[in-house]
Amino acid sequence: MVPQESQAEQQPVFDYLVANVSKKDSGFADDTVKGSQYNQPLLEFSGSCAGCAETSYARLITQLFGEHMYVSNATGCSSIWGGPASVSPYTVNKDSLQGPAWANSLFEDNAEHGFGMQLGQKVLREQAIEKLGAMNESEKATPEFKAAFEKFMETKENTRTNTEATKALLVEVEKAAEAGCEDAKAVLDKKEYLAKKSVWIFGGDGWAYDIGFGGLDHVLASGENVNVMVFDTEMYSNTGGQASKASNIGEVCQFAAAGKEMKKKSLAEIAMSYGYVYVAQIALGANPAQAVKCIAEAEAYPGPSLIIGYAPCELHGIAKGGMNHCQDEMKKAVKSGYWNLFSFDPAKKEAGKNPFTLTSKEGDGTYQDFLHNESRYTRLVKPFPERAEKLFAKSEEVAKERYEHLQRLVELYK
Ligand SMILES: Cc1ncc(C[n+]2csc(CCOP(=O)(O)OP(=O)(O)O)c2C)c(N)n1
């Protein structure tokens, strides 16, 4: 890093790029790894720590659905880099000046807050659709209106295609309003709510696994179409690294100064037990294709979805490479069997297929190397060498059991 003033002569280049460079047709679908990277990120210049994994997940989600997103954000790192006082790193796109609508409620009621966003916009949207239905039945409905309404209804649940269909329909609604149609005027009053929205609930593991868990469970059980993204740093990062139920065996955190003894809670499986919740565990740096696929599947699933993303953090104290190699650390976590990649898609079950997909392989024997590269573990070695050895061995054993259990789930859901 160098002082900002010394780089000021580059400003015209930056301005040129911002003003003149437009989206190129990549030839790849938007919901693929390559295609998604041609989309404008609607999260930029956040105040996160360098290398923060949380921002890379949020940025990617905005590249897929940003223009249509409502985000409810739990208090935690993501509400701090996502909404520091007076500025916002979330932005709007160049063409329609649309971007994520973002709000932070509390640490403890984030799921409920996002649920309210979903219900509020759903009711307004349905009221507008009811009026459109009445217009469609009217003998005054033009063939153009009928065709546009049909297209709108066909794409009603698809976040991407419904936007264009809504635009075309609103042209016809405006014509009808000009001709004096009262229903059309009522629809125009709610036009912001007409296109399909993508409702997201963001938060850390302290929120999802612990403090906000009751609300999260309630919202997942509701069956409503919300998408939950958990940034799993395996600790309360924003308040200096307290242990959460996502922390792992042997991990040294505040309130677990001698290394946590209990294993990590399987939030994913609690959600899977409902059978109608889309669930995925991802790690962007380890398998970007699986991550993008799961995010797209979760968003497309017309019920509740929970994605848990492994998020290395400054506080993990990565020895080799530090946070410059955050994405590589995710790779190591998956390769060693420390973190598992899988998804449970109820839509597949409905189609007669196995809903459970186990993507990652068995650990490759580097589990202890993984632990020994992070100071949240190695901190235990000096003061308590024997305890460290015991807990690290237990952690590996539990990870093996967990993987075998996941393999059994593949058979169980067949
Ligand atoms: C009810 C309540 N308790 C405690 C806090 C203080 N607090 C703010 S952020 C935070 C930690 C958040 O941790 P996590 O959910 O894991 O997210 P991360 O910071 O790791 O992204 C805490 C304890 C709060 N804001 N509200």
Side-chain angles (χ1 to χ4, degrees):
M1 300 295 280
V2 293
Q4 187 267 341
E5 302 79 50
S6 70
Q7 303 301 300
E9 80 274 10
Q10 293 186 52
Q11 189 65 39
V13 179
F14 180 84
D15 293 342
Y16 174 83
L17 292 170
V18 171
N20 294 295
V21 177
S22 56
K23 189 181 167 183
K24 304 288 178 290
D25 184 12
S26 69
F28 298 100
D30 269 344
D31 55 2
T32 59
V33 175
K34 284 188 181 160
S36 66
Q37 296 313 296
Y38 281 82
N39 297 337
Q40 185 187 344
L42 298 180
L43 170 69
E44 50 182 14
F45 316 129
S46 81
S48 70
C49 305
C52 171
E54 295 192 355
T55 50
S56 52
Y57 287 114
R59 176 183 185 276
L60 171 63
I61 298 173
T62 69
Q63 285 179 299
L64 295 167
F65 309 108
E67 289 84 353
H68 321 284
M69 280 170 84
Y70 284 13
V71 185
S72 171
N73 211 127
T75 306
C77 285
S78 52
S79 73
I80 304 305
W81 56 251
S86 82
V87 292
S88 169
Y90 288 97
T91 188
V92 294
N93 70 7
K94 279 189 188 170
D95 308 325
S96 61
L97 300 183
Q98 286 171 312
W102 185 94
N104 161 234
S105 175
L106 295 172
F107 186 38
E108 62 271 34
D109 72 356
N110 179 45
E112 295 91 321
H113 183 242
F115 185 57
M117 282 182 169
Q118 158 67 10
L119 291 184
Q121 67 86 28
K122 182 176 145 183
V123 167
L124 290 165
R125 186 176 192 228
E126 280 175 359
Q127 286 170 348
I129 293 174
E130 207 179 300
K131 298 276 181 211
L132 287 164
M135 287 170 69
N136 196 46
E137 293 301 311
S138 151
E139 56 195 26
K140 288 187 194 154
T142 63
E144 291 78 17
F145 174 88
K146 281 180 170 287
F149 182 65
E150 196 182 327
K151 190 83 199 150
F152 173 86
M153 292 306 280
E154 249 173 53
T155 57
K156 186 169 165 260
E157 298 308 325
N158 186 313
T159 304
R160 289 191 166 279
T161 52
N162 192 241
T163 300
E164 284 309 311
T166 304
K167 265 190 216 160
L169 177 59
L170 282 172
V171 171
E172 299 306 320
V173 175
E174 266 163 25
K175 283 185 205 159
E178 272 165 33
C181 172
E182 290 303 318
D183 279 343
K185 288 179 197 164
V187 171
L188 290 179
D189 279 345
K190 296 193 168 85
K191 69 177 181 184
E192 297 299 325
Y193 302 98
L194 204 50
K196 166 82 170 59
K197 300 296 184 295
S198 186
V199 176
W200 287 83
I201 298 174
F202 284 178
D205 50 278
W207 161 69
Y209 285 68
D210 293 358
I211 312 288
F213 174 71
L216 173 63
D217 178 60
H218 197 65
V219 170
L220 291 177
S222 73
E224 279 295 330
N225 189 2
V226 293
N227 307 289
V228 181
M229 178 72 216
V230 178
F231 308 113
D232 193 345
T233 60
E234 303 195 318
M235 57 171 69
Y236 293 57
S237 294
N238 198 243
T239 38
Q242 293 78 27
S244 78
K245 287 196 281 296
S247 305
N248 219 329
I249 299 172
E251 189 179 338
V252 177
C253 297
Q254 292 178 22
F255 305 128
K260 190 168 176 253
E261 289 186 10
M262 294 301 157
K263 67 176 185 177
K264 186 182 173 91
K265 164 176 173 176
S266 179
L267 181 64
E269 278 194 78
I270 295 174
M272 274 162 59
S273 70
Y274 286 109
Y276 55 83
V277 178
Y278 180 96
V279 183
Q281 264 197 199
I282 63 176
L284 189 56
N287 191 334
Q290 188 248 3
V292 172
K293 186 167 178 278
C294 290
I295 292 169
E297 281 176 355
E299 205 280 340
Y301 178 62
S305 305
L306 171 73
I307 305 171
I308 306 172
Y310 183 59
C313 166
E314 182 71 39
L315 293 177
H316 291 185
I318 299 167
K320 277 189 215 112
M323 287 303 276
N324 283 350
H325 294 270
C326 168
Q327 302 290 320
D328 287 337
E329 196 67 7
M330 295 194 209
K331 224 179 257 175
K332 288 182 192 166
V334 171
K335 221 162 66 73
S336 63
Y338 180 89
W339 181 264
N340 311 116
L341 307 178
F342 57 85
S343 60
F344 178 87
D345 184 355
K348 287 200 181 121
K349 190 163 83 181
E350 276 163 36
K353 294 183 197 149
N354 190 338
F356 187 73
T357 309
L358 178 57
T359 306
S360 57
K361 298 203 173 74
E362 216 171 326
D364 67 351
T366 56
Y367 198 91
Q368 296 301 321
D369 298 341
F370 176 79
L371 299 186
H372 281 90
N373 188 42
E374 298 196 356
S375 72
R376 60 176 167 149
Y377 288 107
T378 53
R379 260 201 302 261
L380 195 60
V381 178
K382 247 194 182 160
F384 306 111
E386 280 165 23
R387 182 177 161 84
E389 201 177 316
K390 213 171 99 205
L391 287 181
F392 294 174
K394 187 171 157 200
S395 173
E396 183 166 2
E397 194 187 304
V398 167
K400 278 189 184 142
E401 277 170 18
R402 190 182 59 225
Y403 191 79
E404 283 163 17
H405 168 72
L406 292 173
Q407 283 178 311
R408 283 198 294 278
L409 288 187
V410 178
E411 297 304 313
L412 184 77
Y413 285 113
K414 250 183 195 167

